[in-house]
Amino acid sequence: MNPHLILVSGPSRSGKSRWAEQLAAHLSIPIIYVATGIPDPTDAEWQARIRQHQRRRPPTWQTLEPPLDLVKLCENPPPACGLLIDSLGTWVAQFLECNAGEWLTLQTQLLTALRISANPTIIVAEEVGWGVVPAYPSGRLFRDRLGELVQAIGAMAAQVYLVTGGWALNLTQLGQPVPKGVFPDPASPA
């Protein structure tokens, strides 16, 4: 467990970014806002979402935008500052072309960096598995990779929040961790 790591997860438009920003504002140290979404000037709606996030940030926060190496930043963050990474889903989406081995290496590097970081780090992550299984392979790959990564980060975070409907629940106070491992299928021969 990393006592400096906080995970804020929830569905789209739930308030998870606002909650993470509130948590970061209370850290009383300089904040680096790590935006993982890639701007697309041809997508007016996406650009409006980015502007909405930008307007909420205090002017004292430094913002890092793509291209950036999230693993290296988490391995060697600037001293005496907090990181707010928003969001894990847009970061994962950038690596869907990676094969399983490349993804495992990248994921392991990020998890290792987060595990040992002494800087306060708040990660915003989307919950994408609450609906139907996507009908196309890239959708299933995205959902599976993000879901597994969110679970791994949640297992090492000191605080895990679920934000939905504009309300934040501290799962580390209210919930129980899901056991690791796979239990044998009772219908299969031993």
Side-chain angles (χ1 to χ4, degrees), residues 5 7 12 14 21-22 27 38 48 51 84 92 102 116-117 123 127 137 142 148 160 163 187:
L5 183 61
L7 175 64
S12 296
S14 62
E21 292 160 4
Q22 178 76 14
L27 289 176
I38 298 173
R51 282 191 302 277
L84 172 57
V92 168
E102 293 167 335
I116 63 173
S117 178
I123 299 176
E127 287 295 335
F142 172 75
E148 290 170 5
V160 178
V163 180

Side-chain angles (χ1 to χ4, degrees), residues 86-157:
D86 193 359
S87 74
L88 201 57
T90 51
W91 181 78
V92 168
Q94 296 173 42
F95 299 100
L96 289 180
E97 299 299 320
C98 291
N99 65 42
E102 293 167 335
W103 172 249
L104 180 60
T105 298
L106 186 60
Q107 177 180 267
T108 300
Q109 290 171 341
L110 179 62
L111 292 170
T112 299
L114 291 172
R115 188 175 292 111
I116 63 173
S117 178
N119 287 55
T121 302
I122 301 168
I123 299 176
V124 177
E126 299 82 357
E127 287 295 335
V128 294
W130 289 10
V132 298
V133 175
Y136 46 94
S138 62
R140 290 189 299 271
L141 181 65
F142 172 75
R143 183 209 55 193
D144 291 350
R145 285 183 175 178
L146 180 58
E148 290 170 5
L149 186 56
V150 169
Q151 279 192 60
I153 292 171
M156 75 171 82

Side-chain angles (χ1 to χ4, degrees), residues 2-8 20-21 23-25 27 29-34 36 70-78 80-86 88 110-125 153-154 156-161:
N2 181 333
H4 308 289
L5 183 61
I6 298 172
L7 175 64
V8 177
E21 292 160 4
L23 293 171
L27 289 176
I29 57 174
I31 300 297
I32 297 175
Y33 184 99
V34 183
T36 62
L70 184 59
V71 171
K72 284 187 180 171
L73 177 63
C74 291
E75 286 174 339
N76 297 303
C81 71
L83 299 178
L84 172 57
I85 301 167
D86 193 359
L88 201 57
L110 179 62
L111 292 170
T112 299
L114 291 172
R115 188 175 292 111
I116 63 173
S117 178
N119 287 55
T121 302
I122 301 168
I123 299 176
V124 177
I153 292 171
M156 75 171 82
Q159 296 176 52
V160 178
Y161 291 93

